[in-house]
Amino acid sequence: MERRGTSGMIFELNRDGTLRVGYEDYGVDFFGGGDFECYYTFERDCVDKLCVALGTDRDGLEKTLGEFVGEDFDSPRLEKLCKDNDITYSRMTYH
């Protein structure tokens, strides 16, 4: 799948402890040159589980998660980590 660009990881750790993380790809050939967005939302308890699975705390989560998913945001890798560690999330995509 070719694309013109990516936002890289978008990371929003909210005051209520929830996390919204994802990316936006621009000019995706598969979608006729349109854009594609993918976001994962984690409830507070699952953010804690995510920190444990990645060996970090909330303060280091953005950096550690960014390194884990990589520059191109490896969604399957994140989803496998969540499945292996009983971490639930909601996923939203848009194109």
Side-chain angles (χ1 to χ4, degrees):
M1 177 168 62
E2 293 293 321
R3 63 179 185 234
R4 282 194 306 265
T6 185
S7 64
M9 184 177 75
I10 297 168
F11 183 92
E12 299 170 2
L13 187 56
N14 302 304
R15 289 184 182 174
D16 65 0
T18 61
L19 171 66
R20 183 173 180 248
V21 63
Y23 61 93
E24 298 175 3
D25 286 342
Y26 312 110
V28 180
D29 288 346
F30 186 79
F31 299 115
D35 299 340
F36 177 81
E37 300 174 22
C38 179
Y39 289 97
Y40 297 85
T41 302
F42 297 86
E43 295 299 323
R44 181 181 182 88
D45 64 323
C46 290
V47 175
D48 294 336
K49 290 181 179 181
L50 189 59
C51 288
V52 170
L54 291 169
T56 191
D57 58 18
R58 287 175 179 266
D59 291 335
L61 184 57
E62 182 173 10
K63 179 179 186 290
T64 304
L65 183 59
E67 291 169 353
F68 183 80
V69 297
E71 190 174 298
D72 289 332
F73 202 101
D74 189 341
S75 289
R77 188 170 190 215
L78 175 61
E79 291 175 13
K80 182 176 183 333
L81 175 77
C82 291
K83 181 179 178 182
D84 291 349
N85 291 278
D86 194 31
I87 301 168
T88 58
Y89 55 85
S90 62
R91 181 176 181 220
M92 186 279 302
T93 59
Y94 176 81
H95 56 85

